[in-house]
């Protein structure tokens, strides 16, 4: 027996409706915000992520699914959605079109992580990418899009954390201050943080280890090191969110895992799904397009974990959609009925009636049992008697009431019943 690879999950037919529900909701919200979808390949040249995500990140250092293809090229399965979009933006000269370029994606994401609740090796993200807009309004619009999705799904309770990590100039000053503060405390921090100290000290603020958290509690706050422009940008973001009535907290610990962020960073966090509570993370990444070979172009966006979102909805017992159930189940009871059943089903389906019928050549009782099990609304019975008089028996499965209806006019009959 060959098992599923560690950290991956099947979405079974009895639960795929949850995915449809989420996907439909996010697509509708994207449409309402006038954003179109972009689809990029599941794999890219490894170089793209080395340059785009950054070689001091956990993703590039430890988590990528990289392999050599038969042509000897180094290929990597998408460890996040943004770098591929940036490549497509440059390669297809989308910067030549009227700006901004607003895009969304729904994609599988592959990371070699330690599997645990809310942490998989293949997960899925809905993401937003706004290119070409430098203003605080773009940051706010992106945050509002995420917030609208949560509101539509009924999850009002997520906490929105916001921070600004400034531009490379502010970061240089801040990193010096941070190193000064952390320098004497290295021996009580975890090994990863000791490595981060030289390469990317900002990431130490993101460490989940209690001992490191205790150390960073008293660390200087990046907001205090912002240059005038970055500080004004941050204030505009906060003011606009406040004007929209969006609750948020400024959290100096939010730094995001990827190297490409500048200025605004944010996370929506749930308290209901355990330690991996971040459902959506994003921010501004003005340096990314240039970093992967394009002309400088400001950008802002987010990634939302669909598996974690489903976990949140389920933990709060919120609506997660419902599976398809047939309006009609046709039970043919003789050979002649079996002969005509498929064409009857096609007519009903053409009229928009969800129709199923027996393909197991079973007798009446097991068919009835099955129709009950799949929650069919109406059972249409066709046996010798029905064929002889050209009328089928239509049974309302809930009330048990039975009627007789012309086989040739079944669609009309069912539609009339449904409109009652
Ligand atoms: P975390 O801090 O949880 O590791 P991250 O900063 O690595 O998250 P991002 O790269 O910003 O996450 O990805 C965006 C979203 O994708 C996350 O907020 C989360 O909802 C989801 N996500 C990230 N990694 C995983 C994973 N391994 N399994 C399931 N969902 C994930
Ligand atoms: Mg991570």
């Amino acid at each position: 027996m060959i098992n599923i690879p560690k950290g991956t999950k099947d979405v079974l037919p009895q639960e795929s409706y949850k995915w449809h529900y989420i996907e439909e909701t996010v697509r509708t919200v994207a449409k309402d915000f006038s954003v179109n979808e972009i689809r990029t390949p599941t794999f890219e040249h490894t170089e793209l992520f080395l340059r785009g995500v950054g070689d001091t990140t956990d993703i590039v250092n430890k988590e990528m699914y990289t392999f050599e293809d038969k042509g000897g090229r180094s290929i990597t399965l998408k460890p996040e959605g943004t770098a591929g979009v940036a490549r497509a933006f440059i390669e297809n000269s989308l910067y030549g079109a009227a700006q901004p370029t607003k895009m969304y994606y729904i994609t599988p994401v592959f990371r070699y992580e330690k599997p645990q609740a809310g942490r998989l090796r293949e997960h899925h993200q809905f993401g937003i990418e706004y290119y070409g807009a430098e203003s605080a309004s773009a940051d706010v619009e992106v945050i509002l899009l995420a917030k609208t999705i949560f509101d539509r799904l009924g999850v009002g309770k997520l906490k929105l954390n916001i921070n600004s990590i400034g531009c490379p100039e502010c970061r240089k000053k801040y990193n010096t201050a941070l190193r000064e503060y952390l320098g004497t405390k290295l021996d009580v921090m975890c090994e990863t943080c000791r490595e981060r100290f030289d390469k990317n000290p900002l990431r130490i603020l993101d460490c989940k280890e209690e001992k490191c958290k205790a150390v960073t509690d008293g660390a200087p706050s990046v907001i205090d090191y912002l240059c005038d422009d970055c500080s004004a940008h941050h204030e505009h973001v906060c003011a606009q969110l406040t004007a929209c009535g969006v609750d948020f907290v400024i959290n100096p610990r939010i730094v995001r895992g990827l190297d490409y962020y500048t200025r605004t960073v944010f996370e929506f966090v749930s308290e209901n799904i355990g330690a991996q509570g971040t459902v959506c993370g994003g921010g501004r990444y003005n340096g990314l397009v240039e970093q992967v070979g394009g002309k400088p172009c400001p950008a802002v966006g987010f990634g939302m974990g669909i598996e974690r979102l489903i976990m949140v909805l389920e933990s709060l017992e919120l609506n997660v959609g419902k599976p398809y159930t047939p309006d009609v189940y046709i039970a043919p009871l003789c050979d002649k009925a079996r002969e005509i059943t498929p064409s009857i089903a096609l007519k009903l389906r053409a009229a928009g009636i969800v129709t199923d019928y027996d393909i197991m050549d079973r007798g009446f009782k097991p068919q009835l049992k099955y129709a009950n099990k799949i929650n069919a609304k109406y059972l249409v019975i066709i046996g010798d008697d029905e064929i002889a008089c050209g009328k089928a028996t239509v049974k309302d499965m809930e009330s048990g009431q039975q009627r007789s209806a012309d086989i040739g006019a079944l669609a009309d009959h069912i539609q009339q019943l449904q409109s009652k």
Side-chain angles (χ1 to χ4, degrees):
M1 153 89 184
I2 299 168
N3 293 319
I4 193 169
K6 211 171 155 184
T8 64
K9 274 203 171 136
D10 296 314
V11 176
L12 300 174
Q14 61 267 32
E15 55 188 358
S16 52
Y17 69 91
K18 299 174 195 171
W19 287 78
H20 296 169
Y21 174 65
I22 302 279
E23 285 167 14
E24 227 172 273
T25 306
V26 299
R27 286 185 197 281
T28 306
V29 171
K31 180 167 79 65
D32 291 348
F33 276 68
S34 185
V35 182
N36 283 297
E37 185 180 12
I38 181 163
R39 297 188 186 193
T40 65
T42 304
F43 56 85
E44 298 272 359
H45 292 292
T46 302
E47 179 69 18
L48 175 70
F49 303 114
L50 298 184
R51 281 163 62 177
V53 180
D55 55 12
T56 67
T57 59
D58 284 351
I59 290 186
V60 167
N61 278 328
K62 303 190 276 205
E63 298 173 359
M64 294 210 301
Y65 276 89
T66 298
F67 60 96
E68 200 170 275
D69 73 3
K70 291 197 167 64
R73 303 167 198 92
S74 180
I75 295 291
T76 295
L77 302 181
K78 262 186 208 180
E80 50 87 66
T82 295
V85 174
R87 186 217 23 86
F89 179 79
I90 300 164
E91 195 164 350
N92 296 286
S93 308
L94 298 185
Y95 47 78
Q99 296 303 326
T101 303
K102 310 197 295 183
M103 299 163 274
Y104 79 86
Y105 59 78
I106 298 177
T107 184
V109 170
F110 306 88
R111 296 182 187 178
Y112 193 80
E113 300 204 72
K114 196 171 155 217
Q116 52 198 287
R119 204 176 280 297
L120 295 159
R121 290 187 173 168
E122 180 186 21
H123 72 276
H124 297 78
Q125 287 187 16
F126 165 72
I128 283 293
E129 306 281 341
Y130 277 26
Y131 283 66
E134 199 146 10
S135 73
S137 315
D139 306 21
V140 171
E141 181 73 350
V142 158
I143 294 171
L144 289 178
L145 198 154
K147 174 93 175 87
T148 304
I149 290 171
F150 296 134
D151 287 347
R152 288 229 184 137
L153 294 171
V155 207
K157 273 200 205 154
L158 298 184
K159 187 166 160 193
L160 170 58
N161 288 301
I162 295 202
N163 194 19
S164 172
I165 54 170
C167 59
E169 286 309 305
C170 330
R171 200 108 39 95
K172 219 184 284 167
K173 281 191 223 145
Y174 178 65
N175 281 347
T176 308
L178 191 58
R179 281 204 185 93
E180 222 163 79
Y181 170 83
L182 294 171
T184 54
K185 303 172 178 70
L186 283 183
D187 47 340
V188 291
M189 293 194 306
C190 74
E191 202 182 307
T192 320
C193 281
R194 286 204 291 272
E195 279 169 31
R196 287 171 178 152
F197 181 81
D198 287 322
K199 292 201 234 161
N200 192 353
L202 201 65
R203 297 251 15 242
I204 296 176
L205 300 175
D206 202 24
C207 186
K208 308 281 185 292
E209 297 254 351
E210 283 308 322
K211 54 185 179 189
C212 302
K213 277 191 193 166
V215 168
T216 51
D217 268 346
S221 173
V222 58
I223 301 257
D224 297 331
Y225 290 79
L226 297 182
C227 66
D228 289 350
D229 284 352
C230 288
S231 180
H233 186 97
H234 177 63
E235 274 164 27
H236 285 139
V237 170
C238 296
Q240 285 186 35
L241 287 175
T242 306
C244 291
V246 176
D247 285 333
F248 63 91
V249 289
I250 294 173
N251 181 346
R253 270 185 184 279
I254 304 289
V255 292
R256 312 286 305 122
L258 314 184
D259 272 1
Y260 51 53
Y261 285 97
T262 49
R263 294 194 167 169
T264 310
V265 286
F266 63 90
E267 290 186 356
F268 283 88
V269 185
S270 166
E271 283 169 1
N272 295 78
I273 55 168
Q276 322 308 329
T278 307
V279 182
C280 171
R284 178 166 279 285
Y285 26 90
N286 289 348
L288 174 69
V289 175
E290 197 178 3
Q291 221 165 303
V292 297
K295 290 192 202 110
C297 179
V300 56
F302 66 71
M304 186 182 286
I306 298 181
E307 283 85 353
R308 288 194 198 171
L309 187 52
I310 293 175
M311 283 168 75
V312 172
L313 295 185
E314 290 187 330
S315 73
L316 295 170
E317 294 179 4
L318 290 166
N319 177 22
V320 281
K322 48 180 189 312
Y324 304 139
T325 52
D327 299 315
V328 167
Y329 187 83
I330 308 173
L333 304 182
C334 60
D335 285 348
K336 182 74 190 145
R338 289 193 190 281
E339 226 173 272
I340 61 170
T341 290
S343 66
I344 297 172
L346 286 178
K347 278 192 200 127
L348 294 177
R349 290 165 182 159
I353 297 164
V354 182
T355 305
D356 199 358
Y357 59 85
D358 177 62
I359 50 170
M360 301 286 289
D361 287 348
R362 284 191 281 226
F364 179 63
K365 264 199 177 161
Q367 288 195 53
L368 178 65
K369 206 169 150 193
Y370 183 74
N372 254 318
K373 198 167 175 179
I374 61 173
N375 286 319
K377 267 194 226 110
Y378 302 103
L379 181 69
V380 170
I381 304 159
I382 309 175
D384 285 326
D385 291 352
E386 281 80 4
I387 295 211
C389 64
K391 286 181 182 283
T393 303
V394 178
K395 177 176 174 168
D396 183 322
M397 295 291 278
E398 204 182 298
S399 66
Q401 200 177 11
Q402 295 199 169
R403 294 180 179 84
S404 169
D406 282 344
I407 292 178
L410 263 176
D412 285 348
H413 182 77
I414 299 287
Q415 273 165 342
Q416 271 170 26
L417 289 179
Q418 282 178 320
S419 63
K420 274 185 192 159

